[in-house]
Amino acid sequence: RGGAGEMLAAAALVLLLAAAPGRAGAGQARGDALREELLLSPLPTGDLAATFQFRTRWDADLQQRGAVSHYRLFPKALGRLVAALGVRELHLALTQGFWRTRAWGQPPLQAPAGAELWVWFQPTVTDVDKAWKELSNILSGIFCASLNFIDSTNTVTPTASFKPLGLANGTDHHLLRYAVLPREVVCTENLTPWKKLLPCGSKAGLAVLLKAERLFYSSYHSQAVHIRPICRDASCLAVSWELRQTLTVVFDTFSSGQGKKDWSLFKMFSRTLTDACPLASESKVYVDISPKNKEKELLEVTPPPPSVHEAIVQGDKRTYAVYDLLNPSLFNTSRSLNVQLKWKRPQDSSELLTPVLHAHRYVSGYGLQTGEISTLIYNTHPYRAFPVILLETVPWYLRLYVHTLTIITKGKENKPSYIHYQPAQDRQRPHLLEMLIQLPANSITKITIQFERALLKWTEYPPDPNHGFYVGSSVLSALVPSVMAMKDVDVEQSPLFTSLFPSSDGSSYFVRMYTEPLLVNLPTPDFSMPYNVICLTCTVVAVCYGSFYNLLTRTFHVEEPSRGGLAKRLANIIRKFRGVPPL
Amino acid sequence: ITDVLTAVALYLAIQDFNKVVFKKQKLLIELDKYAPDVAELIRTPMEMHYIPLKVALFYLLNPYTVMSCVAKSTCAINNTVIAFFILATIKGSAFLSAVFLALATYQSLYPLTLFAPALLYLLQRQFIPVKLKSKSFWLYTMQYAALYLCSLVVIICLSFFLLSSWDFIPSVYGFILSVPDLTPNIGLFWYFFAEMFEHFSLFFVCVFQINVFFYTIPLAIKLKEHPVFFMFVQIAIISIFKSYPTVGDIALYMAFLPVWSHLYRFLRNIFILSCVLIVCSLLFPVLWHLWIYAGSANSNFYYAITLTFNIGQILLISDYFYAFLRREYYLTHGLHLTRQDGTEAMLVLK
C-alpha cells in the first residue's frame, strides 16, 4: 500500500515535470532536462566498473548577461561561473587510482591521477591568464579541492591535443588552458560538494548509491564535471548548455566479495535503488552482458531485464540489459531494485582481450642527477596504422634535454609529423612537448627523453621531500579505427555513454588515454641547517675580509721589545730553572 | 685551442712584464731606494728566464685546466679573453685592452673590476703619477674609460640587433646577479641560497655581490705601485666569490703563481694550504658521488668540502699578499733588521 502511494506520487511528479516545460515555455524556451544513467560493466579481470552519468541540459544562453536569473536544475554556482568568467568549455576531473588499460580495456572516459582541469575560454575574454587564475580559485572553493595550487608553473597551453568537445566557432589555442595536479587526493570532502550539484542531491534516483564509505573502498575512483555548449536542435541555430557529471568507480570484487566474482548492487554500494529522481526525464541502469566468447549463457542477471539494448561502443558490438527506473512495472515485485549478476561458469582468464591502443610510461636512471623518461605506446591492431598525439607536461625542475629525444618503432627511427616544444622557464612555466606520431600496425613505439634534476630552495620542497615529486600523466589522443562501422549517434536518443565524444565518421572512434604519473626524487638539502649554513658561509667570507683588512690597513713595524706580560715572566722563571735562555 | 691561445698570451705577457720589472728595479737601484743589504732579494735575469715558460706550463698542465677542457666548458673562452686583455695591457695598448676588457665584461659581469689595475698599469707605463689633482691623470682615465664604455656599448648593441629585443640583459646579467639556479658547484653560494629564509634572500644576494666588487678600491690604494700583482689578486677574488665559480677560473690565477715564486721564502703556510687544496680537490668528486649516486652522504658533506676549499684559496691569496708586502718592506728597509739594542728584530703588522 505504501508502495502504491509512492508510485502515485512519483507518477504525479513525472506528469508535473512533463507539464512544467510547457508552462515555462510561454516566454523564453527555458527547458531544462535531467537524464541519469548508471552503466555496470564487468571487466575482463573480474572487477566491476560502475559509471554514473548525470546530464543536465539547459536551453538557455548563459553567456548573455542578465538573461538568466532563475536556476532550476542547472546548479547556480556553475552557471554563474560560466557567465562571469567567459568560459566556453570546462572539464574538471578528480581521480584516485589508475585505470589499467591493458587489463581492463578502454574506459568510457578516462582521467589522470590527481586533479585535471582544462578550460576553453570565449574569444571575448581579454586576459585569459587572469580568468584562469580566478577560475581555479573559485573551483577550488566549490569542490573543496586544492585547485588553488594551479598557477603558471603547472599550466600549459596545448596546441593540438585538446580540441573543444562542444560547439566551437574557431579554435585559437591561446584560449585553452590545461593543468594537472598529480599530487591531489580525492576523498569524501570532494564527493559531498559534487553530489550537492546534482538536482536531486543524494536523496533520490541513482545518486542514493553514492555513499562515500563504499565508493572509496575501490581500485579506481574518478569524479568529473563537464560543461559544454551544444546545438539546441538539428538546425543548430541556438545554443544550449550541457552539464555532465560523471563518476567512475572500479570495485575489486575478488577482495570485497570473498573470492567470488558475483556481485550485486547491495554488495557494492550497500544500498539498492528505490526510485528514480523525480526531476529526471530519464533514469536507466545498463548492465553490460556482452558475451565474451560467443557463448550466451555465461552469466545471469537478476532480476531479468525488461529490455535489451545493442550498441556499437568503441568499435565493439555490445549488448546491454536495460532497467528503466521510470517504468512503474520495475518496482512491482519488490520495492527496491537490486541488480545481481552471477557467473555460471568461471571465466577463462586466458582470453583477455588487449585494447587496440594502450601505453606505459616509466622513469629510469640511477642517482639523483640525471634520468630518462620512457613512454611505450602499443598498437595492437593487426593491419591498421593510425596517428596519435602525445602531450607531455614536465615540471621545470626536471630539465629536459630535447636533443636526446628519440622515437623508435620496430627498431627504426620514427620521425613525428608535428612537434611543438615549449621549454621551461625556472619557476615560471613547465616543459610542454606535443608530438603527432604515426603508429604502424602491430607495433610498439618507444619514446625516450633524458632530463637532469635541479636543486630547489628549501622552502620549495613539499612536506615530505623524500617521497619525491610527481610528474603528471601524459595524454594520448587518437582516432582509433574500429572493427565495425559505427552509426552517428543522436545525443538525445542514445545512452549517455555513447555520446561523450563527438564522432566524426563511422570508421573510427575518439579515445583519450592517460599514462601513469611518475614519481621522481630530487636531491634535497639538509632542512635542519639554515642557521648553521648562514653562520658558516658568513664565517668564510669574514675570514677573507679579515685577512685582507689586516693586510690593507696595517703596515709592517719592527717589533718593540716589551717587558712581557705575566705569562712571559713566569715562563722566563721556569726557563731560568731549566737552564734554557729566556724568551 | 682556446687553452693554447691562453697559454701563449700569458707567456708573451709575462715576458713583457719581466722586462718591465727589470727596468723598474734598475731604476730604483740607481735611485738608491733600496737598502744596502738586500742583494739576495734582487731578482736576476738568470732566475727569471724560465718564468714565462713556467707560467704557460702551469696553465696548460694544471689538472683544473684539463678538467674544464674535457667538460667543454665556456670558461676556457673566458680565460682566453682575460689573458688577451692582460697581454694588451702589459704591452701598453690602451685600445686593445679596453676592447678585450669589454668582451670579458660582456661575458660575465665580474671582470669590470679589472678596469682599475689595467688603468693603474697604463698610467705607470705613460709615467703619469697617480695624484687626484693631476690633470693628466684624469685625462688619461677619461680616455681609457671612454674607450672601454664605448666598446661595451657596441658589443651590447650588436647583441640587441642580433636578438631584436632587450630580453638578453635580464637573462644574462640578471641571472649572474640574482643567482636563481642552485645547482651545486664549488662555490659558497649555492647552499647558502638553498637554505636562505625568503625574507632575507634579496639582502644577502646584494651583500654577496657587493663583496666581489668592494675589494677593488682598497687594493687599488694599497697596490698602486704594483698593478700586476693587484690584477692577480683581483682575478683570484673574482674566481672565489663569483656567483657560479668553476675550476677553470682557479686555473687562470694559479697560472700566475710562478711569477711570484721569489716570494717563496716569505710564505707562511704554503705547505698546509697546498695540502688542503689538493685534498679538497680529490674529495669533491668522492663526496658528490656519495651524495647523489650512493645516497649514503648528505648535501652537508659536499658543502663542507666547498667551505674548506674556499678557505684554502682565500688563505693562499692572503698569504701571497702578505709575502709580497713583506718583501717590499725588506727591500726598502734592509733584510737584516735590528732593533735599537742590536738584536735581531721581528716584523709584525700593526
Side-chain angles (χ1 to χ4, degrees):
Chain A
R1 232 188 27 214
E6 271 181 38
M7 292 283 295
L8 213 57
L13 273 171
V14 165
L15 278 172
L16 215 59
L17 204 65
R23 260 202 335 251
Q28 299 130 303
R30 275 180 180 270
D32 46 5
L34 168 71
R35 287 173 60 187
E36 52 179 26
E37 156 190 306
L38 165 62
L39 168 68
L40 298 163
S41 26
L43 298 170
T45 51
D47 307 292
L48 178 81
T51 309
F52 292 82
Q53 273 204 54
F54 302 90
R55 175 184 182 256
T56 307
R57 175 211 151 115
W58 196 16
D59 297 329
D61 192 2
L62 284 172
Q63 292 298 319
Q64 252 181 311
R65 288 199 177 267
V68 168
S69 55
H70 179 62
Y71 288 84
R72 206 170 65 97
L73 294 180
F74 204 95
K76 183 173 179 177
L78 295 179
R80 295 261 300 262
L81 192 66
V82 167
L85 291 175
V87 167
R88 192 167 74 196
E89 263 190 55
L90 184 143
H91 302 268
L92 168 68
L94 295 164
T95 314
Q96 176 199 33
F98 182 68
W99 182 276
R100 300 186 186 110
T101 314
R102 191 192 294 222
W104 293 343
Q106 304 265 343
L109 184 66
Q110 195 184 359
E116 183 206 35
L117 175 66
W118 58 281
V119 174
W120 275 95
F121 287 94
Q122 298 280 357
T124 53
V125 174
T126 46
D127 191 350
V128 181
D129 290 318
K130 187 157 151 300
W132 170 254
K133 186 103 187 102
E134 272 187 52
L135 178 69
S136 49
N137 278 313
I138 295 176
L139 285 174
S140 125
I142 294 178
F143 290 100
C144 295
S146 322
L147 299 174
N148 53 333
F149 282 124
I150 293 179
D151 55 10
S152 66
T153 61
N154 44 29
T155 307
V156 291
T157 307
T159 52
S161 294
F162 285 93
K163 295 288 179 225
L165 291 179
L167 275 186
N169 263 343
T171 51
D172 176 13
H173 66 269
H174 294 293
L175 299 169
L176 169 66
R177 293 288 183 273
Y178 172 79
V180 64
L181 293 172
R183 218 183 162 107
E184 276 298 300
V185 281
V186 188
C187 52
T188 318
E189 272 107 41
N190 307 118
L191 184 64
T192 316
W194 188 92
K195 281 196 294 188
K196 273 205 209 149
L197 295 173
L198 297 170
C200 281
S202 52
K203 299 196 175 40
L206 293 175
V208 296
L209 296 177
L210 301 176
K211 289 298 164 199
E213 70 264 10
R214 297 299 304 170
L215 278 184
F216 289 101
Y217 189 62
S218 56
S219 318
Y220 175 82
H221 173 102
S222 168
Q223 60 197 53
V225 169
H226 306 272
I227 302 177
R228 62 180 179 178
I230 53 175
C231 287
R232 201 172 289 187
D233 47 26
S235 60
C236 219
L237 291 167
V239 163
S240 298
W241 285 86
E242 178 193 77
L243 164 70
R244 275 190 203 227
Q245 285 179 260
T246 64
L247 191 140
T248 310
V249 62
V250 172
F251 290 104
D252 188 359
T253 45
F254 277 117
S255 63
S256 55
Q258 287 99 33
K260 288 200 288 254
K261 281 199 312 193
D262 305 335
W263 53 263
S264 71
L265 279 186
F266 186 76
K267 252 205 230 165
M268 290 191 301
F269 298 104
S270 69
R271 295 280 186 289
T272 55
L273 295 165
T274 49
D275 56 359
C277 175
L279 302 168
S281 60
E282 198 181 297
S283 178
K284 290 193 175 147
V285 175
Y286 290 85
V287 181
D288 185 352
I289 51 173
S290 318
K292 292 287 190 292
N293 51 356
K294 311 278 188 293
E295 287 205 19
K296 296 236 186 270
E297 300 301 318
L298 198 56
L299 37 80
E300 181 201 349
V301 183
T302 52
S307 57
V308 163
H309 178 85
E310 284 191 356
I312 300 182
V313 170
Q314 289 178 345
D316 234 357
K317 189 160 166 152
R318 308 241 182 113
T319 317
Y320 297 94
V322 182
Y323 298 87
D324 189 349
L325 293 176
L326 291 172
N327 187 353
S329 61
L330 198 61
F331 297 102
N332 262 344
T333 47
S334 66
R335 282 177 52 178
S336 68
L337 171 67
N338 183 16
V339 178
Q340 282 178 317
L341 187 129
K342 286 199 187 5
W343 295 92
K344 292 233 189 94
R345 228 185 38 214
Q347 191 191 30
D348 224 350
S349 60
S350 61
E351 40 110 345
L352 296 168
L353 342 109
T354 40
V356 176
L357 173 71
H358 60 277
H360 175 50
R361 188 171 76 150
Y362 56 94
V363 70
S364 53
Y366 68 96
L368 290 176
Q369 192 174 9
T370 52
E372 187 179 69
I373 299 180
S374 309
T375 313
L376 292 169
I377 310 182
Y378 298 82
N379 175 8
T380 55
H381 202 282
Y383 51 86
R384 289 282 298 271
F386 54 89
V388 69
I389 299 183
L390 172 69
L391 169 77
E392 283 223 34
T393 309
V394 177
W396 64 267
Y397 39 82
L398 299 180
R399 305 200 160 113
L400 293 183
Y401 289 113
V402 181
H403 72 281
T404 56
L405 174 68
T406 55
I407 308 174
I408 299 192
T409 311
K410 288 184 179 168
K412 290 202 299 268
E413 205 196 309
N414 183 355
K415 215 164 136 59
S417 32
Y418 170 76
I419 299 189
H420 173 68
Y421 175 66
Q422 199 181 44
Q425 275 178 347
D426 270 12
R427 301 187 177 91
Q428 269 172 27
R429 59 170 197 230
H431 297 275
L432 170 68
L433 179 63
E434 263 188 290
M435 297 187 288
L436 177 66
I437 305 170
Q438 191 77 13
L439 301 177
N442 209 8
S443 64
I444 303 177
T445 305
K446 184 168 178 177
I447 303 158
T448 55
I449 187 165
Q450 289 177 4
F451 63 88
E452 191 187 58
R453 304 172 209 224
L455 185 73
L456 304 176
K457 300 190 180 162
W458 70 308
T459 48
E460 289 171 349
Y461 285 87
D464 184 7
N466 290 306
H467 178 70
F469 287 78
Y470 283 98
V471 180
S473 315
S474 37
V475 185
L476 293 156
S477 322
L479 277 172
V480 179
S482 68
V483 177
M484 308 204 168
M486 299 192 307
K487 304 191 287 287
D488 237 352
V489 286
D490 179 8
V491 177
E492 303 302 327
Q493 304 300 323
S494 52
L496 289 174
F497 57 87
T498 53
S499 59
L500 277 167
F501 294 110
S503 53
S504 46
D505 59 75
S507 64
S508 54
Y509 58 94
F510 180 74
V511 148
R512 180 170 290 138
M513 272 181 43
Y514 297 88
T515 59
E516 296 93 330
L518 303 172
L519 189 58
V520 169
N521 263 327
L522 287 183
T524 60
D526 189 351
F527 295 97
S528 60
M529 289 271 288
Y531 286 113
N532 303 351
V533 166
I534 295 176
C535 291
L536 289 170
T537 310
C538 290
T539 306
V540 170
V541 176
V543 162
C544 175
Y545 177 78
S547 355
F548 273 90
Y549 177 81
N550 266 344
L551 291 167
L552 287 171
T553 53
R554 297 182 188 200
T555 49
F556 283 99
H557 292 287
V558 175
E559 188 188 353
E560 300 302 318
S562 62
R563 287 274 329 209
L566 182 63
K568 218 165 166 187
R569 266 183 283 171
L570 276 175
N572 277 338
I573 295 171
I574 296 173
R575 289 189 126 175
K576 212 156 53 167
F577 278 126
R578 283 170 60 198
V580 171
L583 285 168
Chain B
I1 303 175
T2 42
D3 286 336
V4 168
L5 278 175
T6 315
V8 164
L10 287 175
Y11 180 86
L12 294 170
I14 300 299
Q15 245 184 355
D16 268 348
F17 176 58
N18 279 352
K19 295 198 191 111
V20 170
V21 164
F22 274 134
K23 267 198 252 173
K24 207 164 143 194
Q25 212 169 242
K26 220 162 83 167
L27 183 68
L28 288 170
I29 290 178
E30 280 163 17
L31 291 178
D32 268 339
K33 282 270 176 69
Y34 286 163
D37 54 353
V38 293
E40 55 195 47
L41 284 183
I42 303 280
R43 309 178 63 192
T44 61
M46 276 294 280
E47 87 190 39
M48 288 176 72
H49 182 63
Y50 283 111
I51 287 185
L53 192 62
K54 275 196 223 168
V55 165
L57 281 177
F58 245 63
Y59 183 76
L60 283 176
L61 298 179
N62 199 347
Y64 294 138
T65 319
V66 175
M67 274 199 274
S68 76
C69 183
V70 167
K72 299 184 195 162
S73 152
T74 55
C75 191
I77 302 178
N78 262 359
N79 287 356
T80 308
V81 176
I82 296 183
F84 273 112
F85 156 71
I86 295 174
L87 176 64
T89 311
I90 291 186
K91 288 261 189 230
S93 154
F95 172 66
L96 273 180
S97 114
V99 165
F100 280 117
L101 187 62
L103 272 174
T105 312
Y106 169 72
Q107 274 184 322
S108 69
L109 209 46
Y110 298 106
L112 180 64
T113 54
L114 294 174
F115 179 78
L119 183 62
L120 286 171
Y121 186 84
L122 289 168
L123 282 173
Q124 243 187 23
R125 219 183 139 84
Q126 307 279 67
F127 301 111
I128 303 173
V130 183
K131 280 202 217 332
L132 281 177
K133 298 201 183 55
S134 135
K135 217 165 75 160
S136 53
F137 161 69
W138 283 113
L139 194 66
Y140 197 81
T141 311
M142 287 299 134
Q143 270 181 333
Y144 188 62
L147 273 171
Y148 170 63
L149 286 171
C150 284
S151 10
L152 195 60
V153 162
V154 162
I155 298 175
I156 290 187
C157 288
L158 258 175
S159 314
F160 170 67
F161 283 125
L162 277 176
L163 198 61
S164 18
S165 80
W166 290 110
D167 281 346
F168 74 100
I169 291 190
S171 305
V172 177
Y173 303 116
F175 186 84
I176 294 176
L177 288 176
S178 66
V179 197
D181 176 25
L182 298 172
T183 314
N185 49 52
I186 58 170
L188 301 161
F189 283 179
W190 59 276
Y191 207 53
F192 189 77
F193 290 116
E195 299 268 6
M196 177 52 62
F197 301 105
E198 281 301 310
H199 193 60
F200 294 110
S201 64
L202 185 61
F203 169 68
F204 276 105
V205 163
C206 294
V207 165
F208 271 116
Q209 298 297 346
I210 290 175
N211 191 38
V212 181
F213 291 102
F214 109 114
Y215 287 109
T216 309
I217 310 269
L219 281 172
I221 297 174
K222 182 85 179 181
L223 289 174
K224 58 179 181 258
E225 311 291 326
H226 315 280
V228 181
F229 189 75
F230 176 21
M231 206 178 291
F232 163 68
V233 174
Q234 193 61 59
I235 292 180
I237 289 181
I238 291 175
S239 70
I240 297 172
F241 289 115
K242 70 193 284 197
S243 34
Y244 293 103
T246 59
V247 290
D249 303 317
I250 299 175
L252 184 63
Y253 81 77
M254 278 200 174
F256 280 103
L257 293 181
V259 183
W260 324 112
S261 53
H262 58 280
L263 297 172
Y264 180 73
R265 55 186 290 184
F266 299 114
L267 292 171
R268 285 181 298 180
N269 306 319
I270 190 66
F271 176 66
I272 290 187
L273 290 174
S274 41
C275 283
V276 162
L277 288 176
I278 292 177
V279 167
C280 285
S281 318
L282 291 173
L283 276 180
F284 265 122
V286 170
L287 290 172
W288 172 259
H289 179 86
L290 277 180
W291 173 30
I292 297 285
Y293 291 102
S296 47
N298 211 351
S299 53
N300 291 335
F301 291 67
Y302 188 78
Y303 170 65
I305 297 298
T306 306
L307 285 180
T308 329
F309 187 69
N310 281 309
I311 287 206
Q313 281 184 284
I314 290 172
L315 292 176
L316 178 75
I317 300 304
S318 52
D319 216 14
Y320 265 93
F321 197 11
Y322 173 84
F324 190 83
L325 290 176
R326 195 162 167 166
R327 180 173 171 271
E328 292 302 312
Y329 184 82
Y330 279 142
L331 277 179
T332 48
H333 291 96
L335 198 52
H336 301 288
L337 302 162
T338 55
R339 284 189 225 163
Q340 275 110 356
D341 50 359
T343 53
E344 199 171 327
M346 296 259 289
L347 211 52
V348 291
L349 278 175
K350 273 224 208 303

